[in-house]
């Protein structure tokens, strides 16, 4: 009986335990039973998106799914990233016709601040690809060219004293031109002391065919600002299980060992439960695919 108790309460330490960087993952509507054996930072997959929180209208707030991820982080003592306040996708329907759109965003941020103390916040998501539909109400382009982003960060900063404020986008790690456009926004925010870190999504469509040297060059361009860089939505698939593992071996070390990078978040890990087919690295039932077997060994021997 004593042995059984020990076995049932046993959970392996997360993959990046003891390292200077965390390796996190998303939490969907409930926490997968083996989640704690792998990850030590969390982002809610959908739960904190504006469309999820206020899909029921201006007067309603549904924090249920966001709470699941936040509470788990509190319980485990690991960093929580709030994702995301301002994003042109998955915005609630009511803001399209809201009379005071800036007020609606302010209300969202104030309510979130009353409920959570996030370690990190994706304040603006996909500014270059899916700018907010209420950007004109937030100042539009304005004098900086990106006033709506500045306004968003000012709102976040005035309501969240200690959270690290991040910007996040895709199509960056693979594209030096996009890096330069991203830096245009980043330097405005940095000049106003509004930005604490740079998120790069790193989905499979950006990294599967990417050379390690390209990853290094683009991350270093962002890191030259002096701001930490956070790969925020990493996922990889391949033509086969071994192909996926090969790609992991090319991409992951280029990110993990880069000193500009201070933490990495994967976007799902359980086969069949990720937004892009084939990006799972653990099967339902627990079998670890070759990519996970490699990743575990890599993190045991590569300490950063
Ligand atoms: C980078 O990926 C994006 C898609 O996320 C694509 O539109 C863009 O053309 C790619 N850039 C390069 C240089 O491959």
């Amino acid at each position: 009986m004593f042995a059984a108790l020990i076995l049932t309460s046993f959970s392996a330490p997360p993959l990046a335990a003891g390292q200077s960087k965390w390796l996190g993952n998303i939490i969907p509507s409930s926490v997968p039973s083996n989640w704690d054996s792998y990850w030590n930072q969390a982002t809610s997959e959908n739960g904190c998106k504006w469309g999820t929180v206020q899909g029921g209208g201006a007067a309603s707030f549904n924090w249920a799914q966001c709470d699941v991820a936040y509470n788990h982080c509190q319980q485990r003592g690991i960093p929580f990233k709030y994702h995301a306040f301002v994003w042109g996708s998955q915005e609630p329907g009511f803001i399209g016709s809201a009379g005071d759109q800036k007020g609606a965003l302010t209300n969202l941020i104030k309510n979130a601040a009353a409920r959570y103390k996030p370690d990190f916040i994706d304040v603006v998501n996909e500014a270059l690809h899916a700018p907010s539909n209420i950007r004109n109400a937030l100042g539009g382009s304005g004098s900086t060219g990106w006033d709506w982003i500045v306004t968003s960060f000012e709102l976040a900063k005035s309501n969240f004293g200690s959270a690290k404020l991040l910007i996040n986008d895709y199509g960056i790690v693979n594209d030096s031109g996009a890096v330069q456009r991203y830096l245009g926004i980043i330097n405005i925010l940095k000049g106003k002391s509004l930005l604490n870190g740079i998120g790069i999504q790193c989905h499979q469509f950006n990294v599967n065919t990417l050379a390690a040297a390209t990853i290094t060059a683009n991350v270093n361009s962002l890191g030259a600002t002096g701001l930490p860089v956070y790969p925020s939505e990493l996922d990889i698939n391949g033509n086969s299980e071994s192909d996926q593992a090969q790609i992991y071996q090319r991409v992951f070390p280029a990110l993990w060992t880069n000193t500009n990078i201070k933490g990495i978040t994967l976007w799902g890990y359980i086969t069949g439960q990720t937004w892009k087919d084939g990006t799972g690295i653990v099967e339902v039932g627990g079998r670890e695919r070759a990519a996970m077997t490699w990743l575990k060994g890599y993190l045991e021997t590569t300490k950063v």
Side-chain angles (χ1 to χ4, degrees):
M1 187 176 167
F2 185 56
L5 278 175
I6 289 176
L7 282 172
T8 52
S9 62
F10 177 79
S11 161
L15 298 184
Q19 304 233 24
S20 66
K21 314 180 183 188
W22 36 259
L23 180 61
N25 214 310
I26 48 173
I27 289 180
S29 52
S30 63
V31 186
S33 60
N34 55 8
W35 198 95
D36 292 330
S37 305
Y38 296 114
W39 321 114
N40 61 354
Q41 175 272 331
T43 303
S44 178
E45 182 173 19
N46 287 301
C48 314
K49 294 172 179 175
W50 198 358
T52 303
V53 174
Q54 289 205 274
S60 103
F61 289 88
N62 176 2
W63 299 111
Q65 252 192 70
C66 196
D67 279 357
V68 170
Y70 182 73
N71 292 343
H72 195 68
C73 288
Q74 293 288 101
Q75 185 198 327
R76 302 293 302 186
I78 59 174
F80 169 74
K81 187 192 292 181
Y82 187 103
H83 172 84
F85 283 131
V86 181
W87 180 28
S89 298
Q90 301 187 37
E91 289 177 333
F94 83 87
I95 62 161
S97 56
D100 181 5
Q101 293 173 323
K102 184 180 174 188
L105 176 64
T106 306
N107 197 31
L108 170 74
I109 291 176
K110 283 192 182 308
N111 275 275
R115 194 168 187 91
Y116 303 124
K117 289 201 182 343
D119 301 275
F120 300 91
I121 301 172
D122 285 339
V123 179
V124 175
N125 194 36
E126 300 183 357
L128 293 172
H129 296 96
S132 175
N133 295 301
I134 65 164
R135 59 190 180 279
N136 287 339
L138 303 176
S141 304
S143 59
T144 63
W146 298 99
D147 276 16
W148 63 276
I149 300 179
V150 172
T151 302
S152 302
F153 274 81
E154 285 170 347
L155 281 174
K157 185 164 182 170
S158 63
N159 284 283
F160 287 93
S162 62
K164 292 192 165 63
L165 305 184
L166 311 178
I167 190 163
N168 192 49
D169 213 329
Y170 68 88
I172 306 294
V173 73
N174 65 312
D175 193 326
S176 59
V179 166
Q180 292 309 314
R181 291 192 291 281
Y182 205 28
L183 283 170
I185 303 172
I186 287 161
N187 285 323
I188 291 165
L189 294 170
K190 189 187 160 200
K192 296 177 183 295
S193 300
L194 290 168
L195 187 66
N196 303 112
I198 302 168
I200 51 174
Q201 291 186 8
C202 300
H203 284 298
Q204 44 87 19
F205 49 83
N206 287 149
V207 300
N208 274 0
T209 62
L210 208 52
T214 307
I215 294 173
T216 302
N218 287 330
V219 169
N220 287 351
S221 297
L222 296 169
T225 58
L227 293 166
V229 180
Y230 297 98
S232 54
E233 307 186 15
L234 176 64
D235 52 24
I236 290 170
N237 51 14
N239 297 323
S240 64
E241 185 172 333
S242 66
D243 186 39
Q244 180 192 34
Q246 293 289 321
I247 300 171
Y248 256 90
Q249 290 171 53
R250 164 163 43 84
V251 170
F252 191 85
L255 297 170
W256 189 250
T257 61
N258 191 307
T259 54
N260 296 298
I261 288 177
K262 304 300 184 194
I264 296 180
T265 309
L266 270 60
W267 205 256
Y269 71 103
I270 300 175
T271 300
Q273 299 178 12
T274 60
W275 81 303
K276 291 289 181 191
D277 284 348
T279 55
I281 55 177
V282 178
E283 306 284 359
V284 173
R287 188 184 75 85
E288 293 173 350
R289 289 166 61 87
M292 176 55 96
T293 304
W294 171 80
L295 185 61
K296 282 174 102 167
Y298 176 77
L299 290 168
E300 271 165 23
T301 54
T302 310
K303 301 298 179 189
V304 296

